[in-house]
Coordinates of all heavy atoms in Angstrom, one line a residue:
M187 N 1.0 18.9 4.7 CA 2.1 18.3 5.3 C 3.2 17.9 4.3 O 2.9 17.4 3.3 CB 1.6 17.1 6.0 CG 2.7 16.4 6.9 SD 1.8 15.1 8.0 CE 2.8 13.7 7.6
Q188 N 4.4 18.2 4.6 CA 5.5 17.9 3.7 C 5.8 16.4 3.8 O 5.8 15.8 4.8 CB 6.7 18.8 4.0 CG 7.7 18.9 2.8 CD 8.8 19.9 3.1 OE1 9.2 20.0 4.3 NE2 9.2 20.6 2.1
C189 N 6.3 15.9 2.6 CA 6.6 14.5 2.6 C 7.9 14.2 3.5 O 8.9 14.9 3.2 CB 6.9 14.1 1.2 SG 7.6 12.4 1.0
P190 N 7.8 13.3 4.4 CA 9.0 12.9 5.3 C 10.1 12.1 4.5 O 11.2 12.0 5.0 CB 8.4 12.2 6.4 CG 7.3 11.5 5.8 CD 6.7 12.5 4.8
F191 N 9.7 11.6 3.3 CA 10.7 10.7 2.5 C 11.6 11.6 1.7 O 12.8 11.4 1.7 CB 9.9 9.7 1.8 CG 9.1 8.8 2.6 CD1 7.7 9.1 2.7 CD2 9.7 7.7 3.2 CE1 7.0 8.1 3.6 CE2 8.9 6.9 4.0 CZ 7.5 7.1 4.2
C192 N 11.0 12.4 0.9 CA 11.9 13.2 -0.1 C 11.9 14.7 0.4 O 12.9 15.4 -0.1 CB 11.2 13.1 -1.5 SG 9.6 14.0 -1.7
G193 N 11.1 15.1 1.2 CA 11.2 16.5 1.7 C 10.8 17.6 0.6 O 10.9 18.7 0.8
E194 N 10.3 17.1 -0.5 CA 10.0 18.0 -1.6 C 8.5 18.1 -1.9 O 7.9 19.2 -2.0 CB 10.7 17.6 -2.9 CG 12.2 17.8 -2.8 CD 12.9 17.4 -4.1 OE1 12.1 17.1 -5.1 OE2 14.0 17.2 -4.1
G195 N 7.8 17.0 -2.0 CA 6.4 16.9 -2.2 C 5.5 17.2 -1.1 O 6.0 17.2 0.1
A196 N 4.3 17.4 -1.3 CA 3.3 17.6 -0.2 C 2.5 16.3 -0.2 O 2.2 15.7 -1.2 CB 2.4 18.8 -0.5
L197 N 2.2 15.8 1.1 CA 1.3 14.7 1.2 C -0.1 15.0 1.0 O -0.6 16.0 1.5 CB 1.6 14.1 2.6 CG 2.9 13.6 2.9 CD1 3.0 13.0 4.3 CD2 3.3 12.4 1.9
V198 N -0.9 14.3 0.2 CA -2.2 14.5 -0.1 C -3.0 13.3 0.4 O -2.7 12.1 0.1 CB -2.4 14.6 -1.7 CG1 -3.9 15.0 -1.9 CG2 -1.7 15.8 -2.2
H199 N -4.0 13.6 1.2 CA -4.8 12.5 1.8 C -5.8 12.1 0.8 O -6.6 12.8 0.3 CB -5.6 13.0 3.0 CG -6.2 12.0 3.9 ND1 -5.5 11.1 4.7 CD2 -7.4 11.5 4.0 CE1 -6.3 10.2 5.2 NE2 -7.6 10.5 4.8
Q200 N -5.7 10.8 0.4 CA -6.7 10.3 -0.5 C -6.8 8.8 -0.4 O -6.1 8.1 0.3 CB -6.3 10.6 -2.0 CG -4.8 10.2 -2.4 CD -4.4 10.6 -3.7 OE1 -3.9 9.8 -4.5 NE2 -4.6 11.9 -4.0
T201 N -7.9 8.2 -1.0 CA -8.1 6.9 -1.0 C -8.0 6.3 -2.5 O -8.6 6.9 -3.4 CB -9.6 6.5 -0.6 OG1 -9.7 6.9 0.7 CG2 -9.9 5.0 -0.7
K202 N -7.1 5.4 -2.7 CA -7.0 4.9 -4.1 C -6.7 3.4 -4.0 O -6.2 2.8 -2.9 CB -6.0 5.6 -4.9 CG -4.7 5.6 -4.3 CD -3.8 6.6 -5.2 CE -2.3 6.5 -4.8 NZ -1.5 7.5 -5.6
D203 N -6.8 2.7 -5.1 CA -6.4 1.2 -5.2 C -4.9 1.1 -5.4 O -4.3 2.0 -6.1 CB -7.1 0.6 -6.4 CG -8.6 0.6 -6.3 OD1 -9.1 0.8 -5.3 OD2 -9.3 0.4 -7.4
M204 N -4.3 0.2 -4.6 CA -2.9 0.2 -4.6 C -2.4 -1.2 -5.2 O -2.7 -2.2 -4.8 CB -2.4 0.2 -3.1 CG -0.9 0.5 -3.0 SD -0.4 0.7 -1.2 CE -0.2 -1.0 -0.8
P205 N -1.6 -1.1 -6.3 CA -1.2 -2.2 -7.0 C -0.1 -2.9 -6.1 O 0.7 -2.2 -5.4 CB -0.5 -1.7 -8.2 CG -0.7 -0.3 -8.3 CD -1.2 0.2 -7.0
Y206 N 0.0 -4.3 -6.1 CA 0.9 -5.0 -5.3 C 1.3 -6.2 -6.1 O 0.6 -6.9 -6.7 CB 0.2 -5.5 -4.0 CG 1.1 -6.4 -3.2 CD1 2.3 -5.9 -2.7 CD2 0.8 -7.7 -2.9 CE1 3.2 -6.8 -2.0 CE2 1.6 -8.6 -2.2 CZ 2.8 -8.1 -1.7 OH 3.6 -8.9 -1.0
T207 N 2.6 -6.5 -6.2 CA 3.2 -7.5 -7.0 C 4.1 -8.4 -6.1 O 4.8 -8.0 -5.2 CB 4.1 -7.0 -8.0 OG1 3.4 -6.1 -8.9 CG2 4.7 -8.1 -8.9
Y208 N 3.8 -9.8 -6.2 CA 4.6 -10.8 -5.4 C 4.9 -11.9 -6.3 O 4.0 -12.4 -7.0 CB 3.7 -11.2 -4.2 CG 4.4 -12.3 -3.4 CD1 5.5 -12.1 -2.6 CD2 3.9 -13.7 -3.5 CE1 6.1 -13.1 -1.9 CE2 4.5 -14.7 -2.8 CZ 5.5 -14.4 -2.0 OH 6.1 -15.4 -1.3
E209 N 6.2 -12.3 -6.4 CA 6.6 -13.4 -7.2 C 6.2 -13.2 -8.6 O 5.8 -14.3 -9.2 CB 6.2 -14.7 -6.6 CG 6.7 -14.9 -5.2 CD 8.2 -15.5 -5.2 OE1 8.6 -16.1 -6.3 OE2 9.0 -15.3 -4.3
G210 N 6.1 -12.1 -9.1 CA 5.8 -11.9 -10.6 C 4.3 -11.8 -10.8 O 3.8 -11.7 -11.9
K211 N 3.4 -12.0 -9.7 CA 2.0 -11.9 -9.8 C 1.5 -10.6 -9.2 O 2.0 -10.2 -8.2 CB 1.3 -13.1 -9.2 CG 1.8 -14.5 -9.7 CD 0.6 -15.4 -9.8 CE 1.1 -16.9 -10.2 NZ 1.5 -17.0 -11.5
S212 N 0.5 -10.0 -9.9 CA 0.0 -8.7 -9.4 C -1.4 -8.8 -8.9 O -2.3 -9.5 -9.4 CB 0.1 -7.7 -10.6 OG 1.5 -7.6 -11.0
T213 N -1.7 -8.0 -8.0 CA -3.0 -7.8 -7.6 C -3.3 -6.3 -7.3 O -2.4 -5.5 -7.4 CB -3.4 -8.6 -6.3 OG1 -4.7 -8.6 -6.0 CG2 -2.6 -8.2 -5.1
V214 N -4.5 -6.0 -6.8 CA -4.7 -4.6 -6.4 C -5.4 -4.6 -5.1 O -6.4 -5.4 -4.9 CB -5.7 -3.9 -7.5 CG1 -6.1 -2.5 -6.8 CG2 -4.9 -3.7 -8.8
I215 N -4.9 -3.9 -4.1 CA -5.5 -3.8 -2.8 C -6.5 -2.6 -2.9 O -6.0 -1.5 -3.1 CB -4.5 -3.6 -1.7 CG1 -3.5 -4.8 -1.7 CG2 -5.1 -3.5 -0.3 CD1 -2.3 -4.7 -0.8
P216 N -7.7 -2.8 -2.8 CA -8.8 -1.8 -3.1 C -8.9 -0.8 -1.9 O -8.8 -1.1 -0.8 CB -10.0 -2.5 -3.3 CG -9.9 -3.9 -2.5 CD -8.5 -4.2 -2.5
A217 N -9.1 0.4 -2.4 CA -9.6 1.5 -1.5 C -8.7 1.7 -0.4 O -9.1 1.6 0.9 CB -11.1 1.3 -0.9
V218 N -7.3 1.9 -0.6 CA -6.4 2.1 0.5 C -6.3 3.7 0.8 O -6.2 4.4 -0.2 CB -5.0 1.6 -0.1 CG1 -3.9 2.1 0.9 CG2 -4.9 0.2 -0.2
T219 N -6.6 4.0 2.0 CA -6.5 5.3 2.4 C -5.2 5.7 3.1 O -4.7 5.0 4.0 CB -7.8 5.6 3.4 OG1 -9.0 5.3 2.7 CG2 -7.8 7.1 3.8
G220 N -4.7 6.8 2.6 CA -3.4 7.3 3.2 C -3.0 8.6 2.7 O -3.7 9.2 2.0
D221 N -1.8 9.1 3.1 CA -1.3 10.4 2.6 C -0.2 10.0 1.6 O 0.9 9.5 2.0 CB -0.7 11.1 3.7 CG -1.8 11.6 4.8 OD1 -2.9 12.0 4.3 OD2 -1.7 11.3 6.0
F222 N -0.5 10.4 0.4 CA 0.4 10.0 -0.7 C 1.2 11.3 -1.2 O 0.7 12.4 -1.3 CB -0.5 9.6 -1.9 CG -1.3 8.3 -1.7 CD1 -2.4 8.3 -1.0 CD2 -0.6 7.1 -2.0 CE1 -3.1 7.1 -0.8 CE2 -1.3 5.9 -1.7 CZ -2.5 5.9 -1.1
C223 N 2.5 11.1 -1.5 CA 3.4 12.2 -1.9 C 3.3 12.2 -3.5 O 3.5 11.1 -4.1 CB 4.8 11.9 -1.5 SG 6.0 13.1 -2.2
G224 N 3.0 13.3 -4.1 CA 3.0 13.4 -5.5 C 4.3 13.5 -6.1 O 4.5 13.3 -7.3
A225 N 5.4 13.8 -5.4 CA 6.7 13.9 -5.9 C 7.5 12.5 -6.0 O 8.0 12.2 -7.0 CB 7.5 14.9 -5.1
C226 N 7.5 11.7 -5.0 CA 8.3 10.5 -4.9 C 7.5 9.3 -4.9 O 7.9 8.2 -5.0 CB 9.3 10.5 -3.7 SG 8.5 10.3 -2.2
G227 N 6.1 9.4 -4.7 CA 5.2 8.3 -4.7 C 5.1 7.6 -3.4 O 4.4 6.5 -3.3
E228 N 5.9 8.0 -2.3 CA 5.7 7.3 -1.0 C 4.5 7.6 -0.5 O 3.7 8.5 -0.8 CB 6.9 7.8 -0.1 CG 8.2 7.2 -0.4 CD 8.3 5.8 0.0 OE1 7.4 5.2 0.6 OE2 9.4 5.1 -0.3
C229 N 4.0 6.8 0.5 CA 2.8 7.1 1.2 C 2.9 6.7 2.7 O 3.7 5.9 3.1 CB 1.6 6.3 0.5 SG 2.1 4.8 -0.2
V230 N 2.0 7.4 3.4 CA 2.0 7.3 4.9 C 0.6 6.7 5.4 O -0.4 7.4 4.8 CB 2.3 8.6 5.6 CG1 2.3 8.4 7.1 CG2 3.7 9.1 5.2
F231 N 0.5 5.7 6.0 CA -0.8 5.1 6.4 C -0.9 5.1 7.9 O 0.1 5.2 8.7 CB -0.8 3.7 5.9 CG -0.6 3.5 4.5 CD1 0.5 2.9 4.0 CD2 -1.6 3.9 3.6 CE1 0.7 2.6 2.7 CE2 -1.4 3.7 2.2 CZ -0.2 3.1 1.8
T232 N -2.1 5.1 8.3 CA -2.4 4.9 9.8 C -2.1 3.6 10.2 O -1.9 2.7 9.3 CB -3.9 5.1 10.1 OG1 -4.6 4.2 9.4 CG2 -4.3 6.6 9.7
D233 N -1.9 3.3 11.5 CA -1.5 2.0 12.0 C -2.5 0.9 11.5 O -2.3 -0.2 11.1 CB -1.5 1.9 13.5 CG -0.2 2.7 14.0 OD1 0.7 2.9 13.1 OD2 -0.1 2.9 15.2
K234 N -3.9 1.3 11.6 CA -5.0 0.4 11.3 C -4.9 0.1 9.8 O -5.1 -1.1 9.4 CB -6.3 1.2 11.6 CG -7.5 0.2 11.5 CD -8.7 1.0 12.0 CE -9.9 0.3 11.4 NZ -11.0 1.2 11.3
E235 N -4.6 1.1 9.0 CA -4.6 0.9 7.5 C -3.4 0.1 7.1 O -3.5 -0.8 6.3 CB -4.7 2.2 6.8 CG -5.0 2.1 5.3 CD -6.4 1.6 5.0 OE1 -7.1 1.1 5.9 OE2 -6.8 1.7 3.9
S236 N -2.3 0.3 7.8 CA -1.0 -0.5 7.6 C -1.3 -1.9 7.8 O -0.8 -2.8 7.1 CB 0.1 0.0 8.5 OG 0.4 1.3 8.3
K237 N -2.0 -2.2 8.9 CA -2.3 -3.6 9.3 C -3.2 -4.3 8.2 O -2.9 -5.4 7.8 CB -2.9 -3.7 10.7 CG -3.3 -5.1 11.0 CD -3.4 -5.4 12.5 CE -3.5 -6.7 12.8 NZ -4.0 -7.7 11.8
R238 N -4.2 -3.5 7.8 CA -5.1 -4.1 6.7 C -4.3 -4.4 5.5 O -4.5 -5.4 4.8 CB -6.2 -3.0 6.5 CG -7.4 -3.6 5.6 CD -8.5 -2.7 5.4 NE -8.2 -1.6 4.5 CZ -8.3 -1.7 3.2 NH1 -8.7 -2.8 2.7 NH2 -8.1 -0.6 2.5
I239 N -3.5 -3.4 5.0 CA -2.7 -3.6 3.8 C -1.8 -4.8 4.0 O -1.6 -5.6 3.2 CB -1.8 -2.4 3.6 CG1 -2.9 -1.2 3.2 CG2 -0.9 -2.6 2.3 CD1 -2.1 0.2 3.3
G240 N -1.1 -5.0 5.2 CA -0.2 -6.0 5.5 C -0.9 -7.3 5.4 O -0.4 -8.3 4.8
D241 N -2.1 -7.4 5.9 CA -2.9 -8.6 5.9 C -3.3 -9.0 4.5 O -3.2 -10.1 4.1 CB -4.2 -8.4 6.8 CG -4.0 -8.4 8.3 OD1 -2.8 -8.7 8.6 OD2 -4.8 -8.1 9.0
A242 N -3.6 -8.0 3.7 CA -4.0 -8.2 2.3 C -2.8 -8.7 1.5 O -3.0 -9.7 0.7 CB -4.5 -6.9 1.7
M243 N -1.6 -8.2 1.8 CA -0.4 -8.6 1.1 C -0.1 -10.1 1.5 O 0.2 -10.9 0.6 CB 0.8 -7.8 1.5 CG 0.7 -6.4 0.8 SD 2.1 -5.4 1.4 CE 1.8 -4.0 0.3
L244 N -0.2 -10.4 2.8 CA 0.1 -11.8 3.2 C -0.9 -12.7 2.7 O -0.5 -13.9 2.2 CB 0.0 -11.8 4.7 CG 1.2 -11.1 5.5 CD1 1.0 -11.2 7.0 CD2 2.5 -11.9 5.2
A245 N -2.2 -12.4 2.6 CA -3.2 -13.2 2.0 C -2.9 -13.5 0.5 O -3.0 -14.6 0.1 CB -4.5 -12.7 2.3
F246 N -2.4 -12.5 -0.2 CA -2.1 -12.7 -1.5 C -0.8 -13.5 -1.7 O -0.7 -14.4 -2.6 CB -1.9 -11.3 -2.2 CG -1.6 -11.4 -3.7 CD1 -2.5 -11.8 -4.6 CD2 -0.3 -11.0 -4.2 CE1 -2.2 -12.0 -6.0 CE2 -0.1 -11.2 -5.6 CZ -1.0 -11.6 -6.4
N247 N 0.1 -13.3 -0.9 CA 1.4 -14.1 -0.9 C 1.0 -15.6 -0.7 O 1.6 -16.5 -1.4 CB 2.3 -13.7 0.2 CG 3.0 -12.3 0.0 OD1 2.6 -11.7 -1.0 ND2 3.7 -11.8 1.0
R248 N 0.1 -15.8 0.2 CA -0.3 -17.3 0.5 C -1.0 -17.8 -0.7 O -0.7 -19.0 -1.1 CB -1.2 -17.3 1.7 CG -0.4 -17.4 3.0 CD -1.3 -17.9 4.1 NE -2.4 -16.9 4.5 CZ -2.3 -16.0 5.3 NH1 -1.1 -15.8 6.0 NH2 -3.3 -15.2 5.5
L249 N -1.7 -17.0 -1.3 CA -2.5 -17.5 -2.6 C -1.5 -17.8 -3.7 O -1.6 -18.9 -4.3 CB -3.4 -16.4 -3.0 CG -4.4 -16.7 -4.1 CD1 -5.5 -17.6 -3.6 CD2 -5.1 -15.5 -4.6
V250 N -0.5 -16.9 -3.9 CA 0.5 -17.1 -4.9 C 1.4 -18.5 -4.5 O 1.5 -19.4 -5.4 CB 1.5 -16.0 -5.0 CG1 2.7 -16.4 -5.9 CG2 0.7 -14.8 -5.6
N251 N 1.7 -18.6 -3.2 CA 2.5 -19.7 -2.9 C 1.8 -21.0 -3.0 O 2.4 -22.1 -3.1 CB 3.0 -19.5 -1.5 CG 4.1 -18.5 -1.3 OD1 4.8 -18.2 -2.2 ND2 4.1 -17.8 -0.2
S252 N 0.4 -20.9 -2.8 CA -0.4 -22.2 -3.0 C -0.5 -22.6 -4.4 O -1.1 -23.7 -4.7 CB -1.8 -21.9 -2.3 OG -2.6 -21.2 -3.2
G253 N -0.1 -21.7 -5.3 CA -0.1 -22.2 -6.8 C -1.4 -21.8 -7.5 O -1.7 -22.2 -8.6
A254 N -2.3 -21.0 -6.8 CA -3.6 -20.6 -7.4 C -3.4 -19.6 -8.5 O -2.5 -18.9 -8.4 CB -4.5 -20.2 -6.3
Ligands
ZN590 ZN1 8.0 12.4 -1.2

């Protein structure tokens, strides 16, 4: 499948750890499964995986905001 973002790369289905940064603090969201573009780095997730990633990001944001 061709990448819908850049139209150049091919999307590759894989699972990998995704770095995430909020307010200068970094974490890694483990074992994120999606279709990743090798050309531009964009990725496409299923609805279920998007929700899990969103929840993980929000949880990390709360942790950072709490000062931990
Ligand atoms: Zn792309």
Side-chain angles (χ1 to χ4, degrees):
M187 187 168 125
Q188 200 173 37
C189 173
F191 298 100
C192 67
E194 291 179 12
L197 295 179
V198 180
H199 190 76
Q200 56 183 229
T201 299
K202 60 184 187 182
D203 296 344
M204 195 173 86
Y206 174 63
T207 303
Y208 174 74
E209 296 281 337
K211 301 218 190 289
S212 299
T213 189
V214 171
I215 301 170
V218 173
T219 301
D221 294 315
F222 295 84
C223 174
C226 70
E228 283 288 354
C229 30
V230 180
F231 304 110
T232 62
D233 288 349
K234 191 177 158 204
E235 194 68 346
S236 297
K237 178 157 192 333
R238 189 176 74 85
I239 295 163
D241 287 349
M243 287 176 174
L244 284 176
F246 182 69
N247 292 357
R248 274 198 295 271
L249 190 69
V250 171
N251 288 333
S252 75

